[in-house]
Amino acid sequence: MKGLNKCSHPVEGNLKNIREAKQLQQQDEPNVDSVYYSGPETERTLPSNLEGILNTSGNDGLAIDHGNEDESYSFGLHDESDSSEDEVAPRNTIGNVPLEWYQDEKHIGYDIAGKKIKKKEKDDKLQSFLASADDSKNWRKFSDEYNDEEVKVTKEDLKTINKLLEGMAPHGDFDPYAPYVDWFKWDVSKHPLSNVPEPKRRFIPSKSESKLVKKLVLAIRKGLIKPKYSKEEEDEEESVYSLWGDDSNSMKKDGSHLSYIPAPKPNLPGYEESFNPPLEYIPTQKEIESYQSMNEEDRPKFIPKRFTSIRSIPAYEKAVKECFERCLDLYFCPRVQKKRININPESLKPKLPSRNDLKPYPVKCYLEYRGHKDAVTSVSTEVSGQWIASGSLDGTVRIWEVETGRCLKLWEVGEAVKYVAWNPNPEYSILAVSAGHDVLLFNTGFGNEEVKKKTKELLCAEVPTTPDDTSESTLVRWIQDEKHEGARLRHFKNVSSVEWNRNGNYLSTVVPADILFAVSIYQSLFTSVFHPTRSSYFFISTKKTIRQYHLEKGKLMRKLETGLKEISSIAVHPSGDHIIVGSREGKFCWFDLDLSTKKPYLTRQWHKKDINNVAFHRFEPLFATCSDDCTVQVSHGMVDSEDLNMNPVIVPLEILRGHTSSNGRGVMDCKFHPRQPWLFTAGADSVIRLYCN
């Protein structure tokens, strides 16, 4: 503390002059602290500049006793001075002796002249109490018994004490984070620290070490010392490892034991899984009934319920079953160690061309065809691309002009229309429509006079009947339709699809029922399609497989395993060597028939819901898939017809949106324009859209 030494106190006098006076006095007098002074009787003279200091009248209340005389002297400790704040010499001059020796004395030590220094008169307790009551700053004062003084603590001293108690630097100017000053000079020294030459022992090998090495070599040769890791011991040791333990901390990494497979972590529960969820999470009775009509994949796995307390919660119904299945999973879990290879994932990706280089392809909606009152199930384009036909669940068939969007013709069928297909032969203007048990062949009336005449003669031709045709067991019957001026093909069950071959000479219909083929196989048919270049090749799809038949020979040529849950549609590439397949689970497969393999070349899932139809463009390397999630995925599918070793290049291009969902259904059908890179889509929202580049 500033200005304190042992029990020292803050002073405000000229301390430097007092110390100089003491030093001069001690040089002339051998012992001024003694009571009896035996020196020469001649008076000692002090310098003129110190006499005034030592003989000034006392202001600090210190009286000096000259034997029996009552004269008093004091030090001028409170005089103003310009000296620095040095340490103040203690006022007590008795030396390093116990204070108990002076308890009964009236003085406390002696001054420089050998006179007694009297003690101060102390206040009694009543006076000290009154002084503390009158003076608010009396708590800062304390008595210094060693120097017989009353010390007053200043504000600066209090700040210093508080800093010391808090473990901080006492001075406010102290910087604990001062920048480091590198005092060492890092310059290259011209001379080393020592020029003592290397001792000779560093160049002579140690004899004791050589003797020790010889002993160890001799012991190893005799077999007294064996290495810690020898191959013989490793072969003899039995490899033991923990089958169900955690081998992640094992030091053995040679691949001779199984790796640790952690159990999968379940998802955290949400608000709807609480025993007392909020009201907005509890479904109504209508919502619960609507869940029953949904597909199993779309149906919610958990329906929240509300209970008033935890005691009212019933036991879990599937607890024993799920526990048993969990035990089976753990028992049959394949524990295989996987060897990971550090490969950059970007290097494994194929280098796909840029989307700008693959133009043109449909990007945005250009035109909408509105008129149907229910979901549009199918669309078909005319060979020239000037008109399109559409069928709807409202029982109507419409023909639209592509460029203007006008509805040119309307037929009232009376039943829900499932499929429409325009005859690809330009010599005939025939539209095939499937509705219920019938396939109607309409005369559209488009084309020149010769086309109209040929179409009318073909549809009005009488078909000879046989006795077997009149029976109820006949699968298909030809009936003239006078109402629509066409013909009807009546089947024994509902017809799901209609397809023409590339020349328009043959027509295929699919009835989803078990049919006996010439090859003696019972199967349930879903879709069928003709080969685009060879009319004798015919593809049909069952629930999980695709079969290729030769119609002339009447035999099965190929069977393709898709690995899908249920096939919804198929389409054949214009070259005839590739097939794409859509499924009810949102996946599609690409088959390369030249690979002579039964498995698909590529399988992708680009949709979240069922794929309703797939389609290839006749000239452009484009194909599209439409789904119930109200999206249409347009992709680039390039096939090199010259180099058979080249794999198909499949690049996703655009996701077309715009249709809205109705009764859980989205986009029902999609067809490409025969000449332009345009795409027609039919939605469950009773709207037909045209997407252009």
Side-chain angles (χ1 to χ4, degrees):
M1 190 187 301
K2 182 170 59 179
L4 296 178
N5 185 8
K6 294 183 180 179
C7 297
S8 60
H9 61 282
V11 295
E12 300 178 356
N14 194 342
L15 305 179
K16 185 177 182 181
N17 295 334
I18 295 174
R19 288 196 301 272
E20 292 178 357
K22 283 185 177 183
Q23 292 175 0
L24 292 174
Q25 190 74 13
Q26 290 174 0
Q27 291 176 1
D28 296 337
E29 298 180 2
N31 188 2
V32 297
D33 294 335
S34 178
V35 178
Y36 302 98
Y37 177 63
S38 61
E41 297 179 357
T42 57
E43 295 182 357
R44 303 285 180 174
T45 59
L46 296 175
S48 59
N49 59 345
L50 298 178
E51 289 180 357
I53 299 174
L54 297 176
N55 297 327
T56 53
S57 58
N59 295 326
D60 56 354
L62 299 178
I64 302 175
D65 187 7
H66 296 273
N68 297 327
E69 298 178 2
D70 296 334
E71 297 179 0
S72 61
Y73 298 90
S74 62
F75 292 101
L77 298 178
H78 297 282
D79 295 340
E80 296 181 358
S81 175
D82 295 336
S83 62
S84 61
E85 296 180 356
D86 298 329
E87 294 183 358
V88 181
R91 182 173 175 274
N92 192 338
T93 58
I94 63 174
N96 190 12
V97 297
L99 294 177
E100 290 83 0
W101 295 0
Y102 287 88
Q103 286 182 356
D104 299 333
E105 302 294 336
K106 295 182 179 180
H107 67 283
I108 176 172
Y110 302 88
D111 60 358
I112 297 176
K115 306 298 181 181
K116 295 180 179 180
I117 302 174
K118 291 185 178 182
K119 294 181 179 179
K120 288 184 179 181
E121 295 182 0
K122 296 183 179 180
D123 298 337
D124 56 2
K125 294 184 178 181
L126 180 60
Q127 291 178 354
S128 62
F129 174 74
L130 294 174
S132 63
D134 296 339
D135 189 4
S136 61
K137 299 182 180 179
N138 188 56
W139 62 275
R140 296 186 183 179
K141 300 177 182 179
F142 65 93
S143 61
D144 185 4
E145 296 181 359
Y146 186 79
N147 292 318
D148 194 20
E149 287 185 352
E150 186 178 8
V151 181
K152 183 178 180 181
V153 181
T154 61
K155 292 183 179 180
E156 295 179 357
D157 297 337
L158 290 175
K159 291 181 180 179
T160 304
I161 293 171
N162 291 332
K163 288 183 179 179
L164 290 174
L165 292 176
E166 294 176 359
M168 300 170 60
H171 297 284
D173 299 337
F174 177 75
D175 186 9
Y177 305 104
Y180 174 73
V181 179
D182 194 359
W183 54 270
F184 185 78
K185 295 181 180 180
W186 296 94
D187 300 338
V188 180
S189 301
K190 296 182 180 179
H191 303 284
L193 297 178
S194 177
N195 284 331
V196 179
E198 295 288 338
K200 187 178 180 181
R201 63 178 179 272
R202 296 190 180 180
F203 302 97
I204 299 176
S206 176
K207 293 183 180 180
S208 60
E209 291 181 358
S210 62
K211 290 181 181 180
L212 181 61
V213 171
K214 289 180 180 179
K215 290 182 180 179
L216 294 175
V217 170
L218 184 60
I220 292 173
R221 289 178 178 176
K222 290 182 179 181
L224 301 178
I225 299 177
K226 294 183 179 181
K228 293 182 179 180
Y229 302 100
S230 61
K231 294 183 179 179
E232 296 178 358
E233 291 182 357
E234 290 181 358
D235 296 338
E236 293 177 358
E237 289 182 358
E238 183 180 0
S239 59
V240 179
Y241 60 92
S242 177
L243 180 61
W244 300 106
D246 187 358
D247 298 337
S248 59
N249 298 327
S250 179
M251 299 298 294
K252 192 175 181 180
K253 301 293 183 181
D254 56 352
S256 61
H257 60 281
L258 301 177
S259 61
Y260 172 67
I261 303 176
K265 295 182 179 180
N267 297 328
L268 296 176
Y271 290 104
E272 66 276 3
E273 297 183 11
S274 172
F275 76 94
N276 191 7
L279 294 175
E280 57 267 18
Y281 285 95
I282 300 176
T284 60
Q285 187 64 28
K286 293 183 179 179
E287 293 177 349
I288 295 175
E289 293 176 356
S290 63
Y291 293 160
Q292 303 299 327
S293 61
M294 297 173 63
N295 297 332
E296 293 184 0
E297 298 179 357
D298 301 335
R299 190 181 304 165
K301 306 299 181 183
F302 175 76
I303 299 177
K305 297 180 181 179
R306 195 170 189 180
F307 301 96
T308 56
S309 62
I310 299 179
R311 291 180 297 176
S312 61
I313 300 175
Y316 186 47
E317 300 176 355
K318 302 179 181 178
V320 179
K321 182 180 179 181
E322 291 184 357
C323 183
F324 177 73
E325 291 178 354
R326 176 61 178 164
C327 294
L328 288 180
D329 293 341
L330 293 175
Y331 183 75
F332 293 109
C333 177
R335 301 176 61 82
V336 180
Q337 185 177 7
K338 295 183 179 179
K339 296 182 179 180
R340 299 184 179 274
I341 304 175
N342 295 328
I343 299 177
N344 186 12
E346 299 295 333
S347 62
L348 300 178
K349 294 181 179 180
K351 295 181 179 179
L352 301 178
S354 176
R355 294 175 57 186
N356 296 329
D357 300 337
L358 302 179
K359 291 182 178 180
Y361 56 86
V363 175
K364 57 185 177 180
C365 181
Y366 176 74
L367 196 61
E368 291 184 355
Y369 306 88
R370 296 180 179 271
H372 289 287
K373 298 179 182 179
D374 206 341
V376 182
T377 56
S378 176
V379 292
S380 179
T381 59
E382 195 258 343
V383 182
S384 63
Q386 188 176 359
W387 303 288
I388 61 170
S390 63
S392 174
L393 295 180
D394 59 0
T396 60
V397 177
R398 294 174 181 264
I399 295 181
W400 312 81
E401 190 175 7
V402 174
E403 296 181 355
T404 61
R406 290 188 305 159
C407 181
L408 302 180
K409 285 195 176 184
L410 172 64
W411 288 283
E412 293 286 347
V413 179
E415 293 186 38
V417 178
K418 295 292 186 64
Y419 206 88
V420 293
W422 212 302
N423 192 316
N425 192 349
E427 296 181 358
Y428 298 97
S429 180
I430 301 176
L431 180 67
V433 178
S434 66
H437 290 47
D438 298 337
V439 175
L440 297 104
L441 301 178
F442 290 155
N443 183 3
T444 60
F446 296 109
N448 52 23
E449 296 296 333
E450 185 178 356
V451 172
K452 295 178 182 179
K453 183 179 179 181
K454 287 184 177 181
T455 304
K456 188 175 182 180
E457 292 177 355
L458 179 63
L459 296 179
C460 294
E462 295 183 0
V463 179
T465 59
T466 60
D468 296 337
D469 295 342
T470 58
S471 62
E472 296 181 357
S473 61
T474 304
L475 298 178
V476 182
R477 289 183 296 168
W478 184 283
I479 303 173
Q480 292 293 332
D481 189 359
E482 298 179 356
K483 178 181 178 181
H484 301 101
E485 297 181 356
R488 286 177 180 264
L489 297 176
R490 180 153 294 176
H491 297 70
F492 70 103
K493 284 188 178 182
N494 291 336
V495 181
S496 62
S497 65
V498 181
E499 290 289 342
W500 297 89
N501 71 332
R502 64 184 182 91
N503 297 326
N505 299 330
Y506 297 95
L507 177 68
S508 68
T509 59
V510 175
V511 178
D514 294 337
I515 300 178
L516 179 62
F517 290 91
V519 291
S520 301
I521 297 177
Y522 282 97
Q523 287 290 337
S524 179
L525 299 183
F526 285 83
T527 57
S528 66
V529 64
F530 285 94
H531 195 278
T533 57
R534 298 181 180 180
S535 300
S536 58
Y537 289 175
F538 186 66
F539 297 92
I540 62 173
S541 68
T542 60
K543 186 175 182 179
K544 295 184 179 181
T545 61
I546 298 175
R547 300 169 181 266
Q548 181 182 0
Y549 289 92
H550 197 289
L551 298 179
E552 294 180 355
K553 298 180 180 180
K555 68 176 183 178
L556 177 65
M557 298 180 59
R558 185 175 302 177
K559 181 180 179 181
L560 304 176
E561 298 290 341
T562 61
L564 304 175
K565 292 183 179 180
E566 183 178 346
I567 298 174
S568 61
S569 57
I570 60 174
V572 185
H573 192 268
S575 63
D577 297 331
H578 301 270
I579 300 176
I580 57 175
V581 182
S583 68
R584 297 294 181 189
E585 54 188 314
K587 294 182 180 180
F588 91 96
C589 299
W590 181 294
F591 284 92
D592 190 351
L593 302 181
D594 292 334
L595 295 178
S596 66
T597 178
K598 297 181 180 180
K599 296 183 179 180
Y601 166 73
L602 182 70
T603 303
R604 290 289 183 270
Q605 183 166 5
W606 288 343
H607 297 279
K608 298 179 180 179
K609 293 186 178 181
D610 301 354
I611 295 178
N612 294 322
N613 195 17
V614 293
F616 271 112
H617 197 281
R618 186 176 297 181
F619 302 108
E620 299 290 340
L622 298 174
F623 70 94
T625 60
C626 61
S627 172
D628 282 339
D629 58 1
C630 300
T631 62
V632 180
Q633 177 74 46
V634 180
S635 306
H636 173 85
M638 184 63 186
V639 177
D640 195 347
S641 59
E642 297 179 358
D643 189 0
L644 299 179
N645 294 325
M646 292 292 295
N647 295 327
V649 180
I650 302 172
V651 182
L653 296 178
E654 194 73 26
I655 298 177
L656 304 179
R657 296 181 174 88
H659 289 280
T660 58
S661 178
S662 178
N663 296 328
R665 304 303 301 273
V667 184
M668 307 289 289
D669 193 10
C670 63
K671 291 291 191 305
F672 278 101
H673 193 275
R675 301 182 184 276
Q676 301 293 335
W678 300 347
L679 182 67
F680 298 94
T681 60
D685 54 357
S686 70
V687 179
I688 304 170
R689 288 172 172 265
L690 170 62
Y691 292 91
C692 300
N693 53 337

